[in-house]
């Protein structure tokens, strides 16, 4: 993909992969330019979302970004806090994050997933105005939907390895399975 093609994807929206009855709705910060150009979430090769999803046991094999619709068969989905594509998340304003949090809340109220998993602590803190939030389950709920903050799978997030991220994602998977087994 040429730099011109990537730049042309700026401000595009990548459609959500959603349905009612999801176990977990994963929520990225916003699409990168490659995701917007391809129409696939977490499309950048250095992004660890797809490998971590598999390593944590959410999927039986590593899916490619182009296979994102297969997530629905596992009752998983993907959306974003902010819909518009940028080259970097730091191009987003505080108001965009907050408006994204309001829109995300409405989406969750409509779809009613068991869990909303925001992949990025800074995005969660700004969007939901919770500056002291930490990685892991949150006290906040949206209706009956529980919230969990996961580490950002971007290759730029050097604080987390794929293995340590997979451990955190697996904790959410186990919590989602517990909910599935309650009558």
């Amino acid at each position: 993909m040429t730099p011109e093609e990537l730049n042309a994807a700026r401000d595009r929206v990548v459609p959500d992969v959603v349905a009612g009855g999801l176990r977990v709705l994963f929520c990225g910060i916003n699409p990168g330019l490659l995701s917007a150009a391809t129409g696939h979430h977490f499309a950048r090769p250095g992004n660890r979302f797809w490998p971590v999803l598999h390593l944590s046991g959410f999927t039986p094999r590593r899916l490619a970004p182009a296979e994102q619709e297969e997530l629905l068969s596992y009752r998983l989905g993907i959306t974003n806090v902010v819909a518009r594509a940028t080259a970097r998340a730091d191009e987003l304003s505080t108001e965009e994050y907050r408006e994204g949090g309001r829109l995300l809340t409405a989406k969750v109220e409509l779809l009613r997933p068991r869990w909303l998993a925001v992949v990025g602590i800074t995005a969660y803190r700004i969007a939901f105005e919770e500056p002291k939030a930490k990685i892991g389950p949150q006290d906040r709920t949206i209706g009956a939907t529980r919230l969990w903050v996961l580490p950002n799978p971007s290759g730029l997030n050097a604080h987390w390895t794929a293995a340590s991220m997979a451990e955190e994602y697996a904790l959410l998977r186990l919590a989602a399975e517990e909910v599935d087994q309650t009558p």
Side-chain angles (χ1 to χ4, degrees):
M1 184 145 314
T2 68
E4 293 79 21
E5 290 171 316
L6 285 176
N7 199 44
R10 185 175 299 279
D11 297 325
R12 281 190 198 157
V13 173
V14 177
D16 292 339
V17 177
V18 296
L22 296 174
R23 284 187 305 139
V24 180
L25 176 57
F26 291 95
C27 181
I29 298 169
N30 76 308
L33 297 182
L34 186 59
S35 288
T38 63
H40 303 123
H41 293 271
F42 302 103
R44 192 165 192 77
N47 193 294
R48 298 169 290 180
F49 178 79
W50 298 104
V52 166
L53 210 60
H54 171 62
L55 290 170
S56 63
F58 272 110
T59 60
R61 65 180 178 82
R62 180 176 169 175
L63 299 177
E67 297 175 296
Q68 65 188 14
E69 296 294 327
E70 190 173 320
L71 288 176
L72 296 174
S73 69
Y74 307 116
R75 295 179 48 220
L76 305 172
I78 305 177
T79 189
N80 288 290
V81 174
V82 177
R84 78 176 182 96
T86 61
R88 296 179 323 276
D90 66 5
E91 295 176 41
L92 302 172
S93 70
T94 297
E95 185 48 43
E96 283 181 286
Y97 277 110
R98 290 194 175 136
E99 178 63 15
R102 290 186 286 273
L103 294 171
L104 181 57
T105 296
K107 189 177 298 185
V108 168
E109 287 170 343
L110 177 68
L111 295 171
R112 298 172 23 184
R114 297 266 176 100
W115 288 92
L116 172 65
V118 179
V119 295
I121 187 69
T122 301
Y124 178 83
R125 287 174 175 163
I126 299 170
F128 290 98
E129 299 183 56
E130 292 200 22
K132 296 185 191 241
K134 298 192 180 331
I135 296 291
Q138 306 301 304
D139 291 333
R140 173 192 290 261
T141 60
I142 300 173
T145 299
R146 301 275 321 272
L147 277 73
W148 196 296
V149 177
L150 293 167
N152 183 339
S154 166
L156 299 175
N157 183 358
H159 298 293
W160 291 80
T161 65
S164 63
M165 271 191 251
E167 289 174 15
E168 189 64 38
Y169 281 55
L171 292 173
L172 169 59
R173 180 184 53 78
L174 292 170
E177 287 174 356
E178 285 176 17
V179 171
D180 281 346
Q181 295 174 12
T182 57

